[in-house]
Amino acid sequence: MIVSHSKTKTKKSTSNFLLPDRKKILEFLNQSGRPQTRKELAVSFNIIDVEIRRALGRRLKAMTQDGELIRNRRGSYGLLKKMDLYKGNVIGHPDGYGFVVPEEGGKDLFLPAKQMRTVLHGDNVVARLVNTDKKGRREGALVEVLRRANHKIVGKFFRENGVSYVVPDNKRISQDILIPSLDKNKVKQGQYVVIEILHQPEKHRQPIGKITSIINESNDVNMTTDIAIRSHELPYKWPDEVIQEIDGLTENIDSDVLLDRNDYRNFAFVTIDGEDARDFDDAVFCEKYKNGWKLFVAIADVSYYVKQNSSLDDEAYLRGTSIYFPDRVIPMLPEILSNGLCSLKPNTERLSLVCELDIDSNGKVKESSFKKSIICSHARLTYSEMSEIVVNRNEKIREKYSNLLLHLDNLYELYKLLHKNRKKEGLIDFSSIESRFVFNDNGGIDSIESVKRNNAHRLIEEMMLIANIAAAKFLEKYSKYGIYRIHETPKEEKLKDLHILLSKLGLSLESTDKPTTKNYSSLIDKIRQREDEQMLETILLRSMPLAVYSDSNKGHFGLGFPAYTHFTSPIRRYPDLVVHRIISGLINKKEKLLAYDNNSMSELATHCSNTERRAEDASRDAIQRLKCIFMKDKEGKSFHGIVSSVTSFGLFILLDDLFVEGLLHISTLPTDYYHFDPIAHTLLGERNGKIFTLGEKLIVKLIRVDIDERKIDFELEHII
């Protein structure tokens, strides 16, 4: 009895000294009103046990490293917001200065070149506000570097006066990297190399690195993509663990898997994609009834093959998304999955997660559900073929697909109704133009041409949108957590400038307080056929924030949906894969087996937003370099173009039909003093009264192309 009593007492006393979680520590520091030492925190939380006190120290250190707390010179821990400190990422400028973009939002902190000596572009830091000028611009000073963003850098190698160094290709990194030893690298002057940073920059020392590889100069296109891949540190090689995991995958589907799946193999599903598509992750099928339609959107069941916490899953998470370059794709999943087992190829049985939607004759979704299924695509159609079948009604092609005509016509009829409804509710339809490179047999660039969209593109978009909405509503209704695609309302500051500009032009958004999607849509309809249509569309687009991923649903302003997520592309987007796992877990009543919670969802959403931006930046860098390569032999020639952007230092000109943009520097304009109006997007000549504005048509001469700097410069020849 004595022993038993002693054990009970010990257990009871230990439970009083449990380690407080991060939330409790933050709440206590917020209430205490002053920074606290580790000892003071231990006393406040009644922690006596030595091991738990040490664990508290480790937790405080981790919170400091994550930027949740700051440790002052006295060894006390405090909250950043209470100490006028800001956590954020550094944005470097080619001229040596930079900015800290606060994670909590608000205006950036300017960092002078002296402050930028110890950091590089992308580093995560804590900074202090030191000054605010009369115009409200804030200057900061670095307090601590939390996380380094650059571990490998691509750049050009140079050796001068016995000193070797690399000039980073990313111009936001303004510091050269010293190379103290070449080891066995036979690198030539001006060659592109990949370096590993051995020592990050310090106050009195430049960053130091070593060359790990020399980039192959096989041809301009290959080298351009290689530079972009390595500059943005994109994972492009499959780890051995992933190769081992996929080694045993086969085309065969175990019969046991089919026991709890709906058999839709006889349904006339079809895939509709581009001519050069290889991964088909969605297929559609539609039946028409007396009172409406039944739409089936089948998405490849990637979650069946990519198990949570597997090596394959870890790599997919790391990549976050497939990345599309002009000459190649870096897939999120290995080819055996992306182009094989998870690709809904024609006449091939595939595991799918099917979204079923009952839609009434008015185009309203009355009911939606999700089913684990097996399907067999009946045809692989291109957008051009689908357009010929249902829009142009080409008899020859319709005859080729005669057994599918009823279902294809149903799809098109439903699309027209859904699209019509969206236009009524407020469809923001910017007239953007996509372009693509046309390569010759030698790998050179023959031309840059526009990608024409037709109603078949819009049909698939409409079907994917309606499935994504259904998935978001399903998560909201049945799951404790989820990942959503959100697009918030334009910020007040942006709207203020927009209202001023529109009022000068006799236009308005109708709502001056909180505009709706319908307000934007209505304005876009009004500006159609105006000469300044392109200018106004550009300004409207720039007034809106970027769409991101979030663990909480805040709606999608641009699409006008109160709830939206990404469900339809799990082959190439990690958030879609997560949504599939949650929905499948709910269907199979195994949601509790998923290692997700609200905290992990928040981290996952931030990570996926970051990998999306990284992919866009890498692709944009490669495209801009290729455009410079394409334009290099055209120096001295004249082109028609339109002003696509106005800045204090000049005009950016988009060339007609070439989809290439370059700078018309202010010094090349007719001699005058020019004043920049950021609200009206104009440059006004003080003496001659000439106003240069967005959308203005000009004839310019190409005077310089710098491929390394990715810059194209024009001079003005004539105002049209």
Side-chain angles (χ1 to χ4, degrees):
M1 289 294 292
I2 295 173
V3 174
S4 175
H5 179 71
S6 174
K7 283 185 178 179
T8 304
K9 187 174 181 180
T10 304
K11 188 175 181 181
K12 185 177 179 182
S13 62
T14 304
S15 67
N16 289 331
F17 311 135
L18 292 176
L19 181 66
D21 61 25
R22 293 188 178 205
K23 186 178 179 182
K24 286 181 179 177
I25 293 171
L26 292 172
E27 287 175 350
F28 176 78
L29 286 171
N30 191 42
Q31 292 168 4
S32 65
R34 68 176 181 84
Q36 303 267 333
T37 64
R38 187 187 76 168
K39 185 176 180 180
E40 288 172 327
L41 286 167
V43 171
S44 298
F45 284 105
N46 199 24
I47 299 174
I48 299 173
D49 186 89
V50 175
E51 286 303 316
I52 298 180
R53 283 198 171 206
R54 287 174 181 163
L56 175 64
R58 291 192 293 271
R59 175 154 291 175
L60 292 171
K61 184 178 180 181
M63 292 176 73
T64 303
Q65 290 172 341
D66 291 343
E68 292 180 288
L69 300 176
I70 193 75
R71 188 170 185 262
N72 64 23
R73 293 179 182 179
R74 295 181 178 180
S76 298
Y77 296 89
L79 300 173
L80 273 70
K81 64 180 180 181
K82 295 279 190 181
M83 303 167 85
D84 290 334
L85 299 177
Y86 299 86
K87 179 188 175 188
N89 290 334
V90 173
I91 303 295
H93 189 277
D95 291 339
Y97 59 85
F99 300 88
V100 174
V101 181
E103 289 182 0
E104 63 182 25
K107 292 183 178 179
D108 298 347
L109 298 179
F110 172 74
L111 294 179
K114 186 177 179 180
Q115 289 291 324
M116 287 292 292
R117 286 179 189 170
T118 59
V119 290
L120 298 177
H121 171 72
D123 287 349
N124 191 248
V125 302
V126 173
R128 175 181 287 108
L129 176 64
V130 295
N131 184 40
T132 303
D133 67 16
K134 293 179 181 179
K135 293 183 179 180
R137 292 177 297 196
R138 309 193 300 176
E139 183 177 328
L142 293 174
V143 174
E144 191 171 344
V145 179
L146 300 175
R147 189 182 66 255
R148 295 290 186 176
N150 303 277
H151 306 289
K152 290 188 176 180
I153 288 178
V154 173
K156 262 191 171 182
F157 173 82
F158 294 97
R159 185 173 179 83
E160 295 177 0
N161 301 321
V163 178
S164 299
Y165 61 95
V166 169
V167 178
D169 182 66
N170 185 346
K171 300 311 169 189
R172 290 190 179 276
I173 300 176
S174 57
Q175 299 188 52
D176 296 340
I177 317 298
L178 295 177
I179 309 295
S181 172
L182 293 179
D183 295 327
K184 296 180 181 179
N185 287 298
K186 295 181 179 179
V187 59
K188 299 175 184 176
Q189 187 87 339
Q191 271 192 312
Y192 277 97
V193 297
V194 181
I195 62 167
E196 179 184 341
I197 294 186
L198 301 176
H199 298 288
Q200 295 285 346
E202 296 177 7
K203 191 174 182 179
H204 300 294
R205 186 179 71 181
Q206 285 179 256
I208 297 173
K210 70 172 183 178
I211 295 173
T212 58
S213 63
I214 300 169
I215 292 180
N216 185 8
E217 299 180 5
S218 56
N219 66 50
D220 289 334
V221 176
N222 279 339
M223 189 175 78
T224 292
T225 302
D226 285 343
I227 289 171
I229 289 170
R230 288 165 173 80
S231 288
H232 293 271
E233 296 190 47
L234 303 177
Y236 66 99
K237 291 182 179 178
W238 299 111
D240 292 340
E241 298 83 4
V242 171
I243 294 171
Q244 289 171 11
E245 277 189 3
I246 64 175
D247 195 39
L249 294 175
T250 66
E251 288 278 344
N252 298 325
I253 298 174
D254 194 328
S255 58
D256 292 342
V257 176
L258 306 182
L259 296 177
D260 62 346
R261 287 181 180 261
N262 291 63
D263 190 346
Y264 291 159
R265 284 175 286 191
N266 291 327
F267 286 25
F269 281 100
V270 296
T271 62
I272 306 171
D273 289 276
E275 276 77 358
D276 54 356
R278 295 172 64 196
D279 54 339
F280 313 118
D281 49 12
D282 59 83
V284 288
F285 168 64
C286 183
E287 290 181 316
K288 186 177 181 182
Y289 297 101
K290 184 178 179 181
N291 298 319
W293 287 265
K294 181 91 167 179
L295 174 65
F296 298 80
V297 179
I299 308 298
D301 190 0
V302 179
S303 64
Y304 173 78
Y305 295 99
V306 184
K307 303 298 184 185
Q308 192 176 6
N309 297 326
S310 63
S311 297
L312 189 54
D313 182 44
D314 291 343
E315 185 66 17
Y317 172 83
L318 182 66
R319 297 183 178 214
T321 180
S322 294
I323 305 171
Y324 296 85
F325 292 102
D327 66 324
R328 75 186 87 157
V329 177
I330 299 179
M332 185 181 81
L333 298 173
E335 194 168 328
I336 190 173
L337 290 171
S338 59
N339 296 346
L341 294 171
C342 295
S343 184
L344 307 181
K345 297 177 180 179
N347 305 313
T348 308
E349 294 179 354
R350 287 288 183 253
L351 301 180
S352 304
L353 184 57
V354 176
C355 175
E356 298 183 15
L357 301 119
D358 290 310
I359 303 169
D360 67 19
S361 56
N362 296 316
K364 300 295 181 184
V365 177
K366 307 306 290 183
E367 191 178 347
S368 63
S369 60
F370 291 85
K371 306 281 179 64
K372 303 274 282 185
S373 312
I374 181 169
I375 73 159
C376 181
S377 171
H378 283 46
R380 179 268 198 265
L381 299 174
T382 66
Y383 292 122
S384 300
E385 285 177 319
M386 184 64 175
S387 182
E388 285 296 315
I389 293 167
V390 298
V391 182
N392 300 332
R393 303 187 75 79
N394 183 308
E395 288 301 325
K396 188 175 180 180
I397 300 180
R398 284 178 70 84
E399 186 178 341
K400 179 181 176 182
Y401 295 103
S402 57
N403 60 323
L404 298 172
L405 286 182
L406 176 64
H407 308 299
L408 299 181
D409 286 338
N410 286 343
L411 279 168
Y412 187 55
E413 190 178 348
L414 176 58
Y415 150 72
K416 288 190 289 185
L417 180 59
L418 294 174
H419 194 67
K420 180 183 175 183
N421 285 348
R422 274 219 303 141
K423 288 190 79 171
K424 277 183 187 177
E425 292 165 8
L427 168 64
I428 298 179
D429 189 14
F430 290 116
S431 54
S432 58
I433 300 173
E434 294 181 30
S435 62
R436 70 181 187 93
F437 291 91
V438 178
F439 299 106
N440 56 39
D441 294 338
N442 298 321
I445 305 168
D446 268 350
S447 62
I448 304 173
E449 62 181 26
S450 63
V451 177
K452 294 178 181 176
R453 284 167 47 82
N454 56 38
N455 276 354
H457 289 84
R458 298 183 185 94
L459 182 153
I460 287 298
E461 280 181 6
E462 210 68 52
M463 305 308 167
M464 297 306 108
L465 287 172
I466 202 170
N468 285 335
I469 294 169
K473 290 180 177 179
F474 191 87
L475 292 182
E476 275 208 305
K477 187 174 182 179
Y478 298 110
S479 181
K480 295 177 182 177
Y481 46 77
I483 184 166
Y484 299 89
R485 183 67 169 177
I486 66 166
H487 185 233
E488 297 192 68
T489 306
K491 302 296 181 188
E492 187 177 335
E493 189 176 318
K494 292 273 189 181
L495 287 173
K496 184 180 177 182
D497 292 345
L498 181 61
H499 285 308
I500 293 171
L501 172 63
L502 292 175
S503 64
K504 289 180 179 179
L505 299 172
L507 297 167
S508 77
L509 266 176
E510 296 175 6
S511 171
T512 55
D513 185 18
K514 274 197 170 183
T516 64
T517 308
K518 201 165 187 176
N519 295 143
Y520 267 74
S521 175
S522 176
L523 180 58
I524 289 171
D525 287 340
K526 287 178 184 176
I527 65 177
R528 294 278 188 240
Q529 309 307 318
R530 283 179 60 125
E531 285 190 6
D532 56 1
E533 174 194 353
Q534 196 167 359
M535 174 200 83
L536 289 169
E537 279 200 5
T538 301
I539 292 169
L540 287 173
L541 186 61
R542 290 173 184 171
S543 73
M544 295 191 286
L546 292 171
V548 295
Y549 293 105
S550 173
D551 62 316
S552 59
N553 176 35
K554 298 176 184 176
H556 198 294
F557 176 81
L559 294 173
F561 300 147
Y564 191 67
T565 190
H566 277 166
F567 160 78
T568 54
S569 296
I571 289 177
R572 61 183 178 87
R573 289 190 307 230
Y574 195 79
D576 302 52
L577 174 55
V578 173
V579 170
H580 272 238
R581 282 188 183 136
I582 297 171
I583 292 175
S584 295
L586 290 165
I587 292 172
N588 297 333
K589 298 181 179 178
K590 294 180 179 178
E591 187 190 17
K592 291 181 180 178
L593 299 179
L594 296 173
Y596 293 134
D597 56 32
N598 289 324
N599 287 334
S600 64
M601 277 294 148
S602 177
E603 292 173 6
L604 193 149
T606 300
H607 170 77
C608 290
S609 295
N610 290 338
T611 55
E612 180 185 33
R613 296 284 99 79
R614 179 182 67 181
E616 289 172 352
D617 290 345
S619 181
R620 190 185 303 113
D621 277 1
I623 288 170
Q624 183 58 23
R625 184 185 288 270
L626 288 178
K627 286 182 176 180
C628 288
I629 291 169
F630 176 66
M631 295 299 292
K632 184 64 179 175
D633 64 354
K634 298 171 181 60
E635 288 177 337
K637 293 183 178 180
S638 298
F639 301 90
H640 284 70
I642 188 170
V643 178
S644 57
S645 182
V646 182
T647 71
S648 59
F649 53 85
L651 313 169
F652 281 94
I653 310 298
L654 180 65
L655 301 184
D656 295 352
D657 303 323
L658 286 178
F659 314 102
V660 170
E661 191 177 53
L663 176 66
L664 181 61
H665 195 267
I666 198 167
S667 61
T668 67
L669 299 179
T671 305
D672 203 342
Y673 291 111
Y674 288 92
H675 301 286
F676 173 54
D677 185 337
I679 296 175
H681 298 268
T682 59
L683 275 179
L684 170 63
E686 186 178 293
R687 180 178 57 84
N688 60 27
K690 170 58 187 169
I691 300 175
F692 290 96
T693 186
L694 271 178
E696 189 167 357
K697 295 179 180 180
L698 306 172
I699 297 176
V700 294
K701 183 178 182 180
L702 178 61
I703 57 172
R704 188 176 75 98
V705 176
D706 189 323
I707 295 172
D708 291 336
E709 295 285 336
R710 295 186 284 283
K711 289 181 178 179
I712 296 172
D713 292 320
F714 301 116
E715 68 178 17
L716 181 64
E717 277 207 342
H718 186 63
I719 300 170
I720 300 175

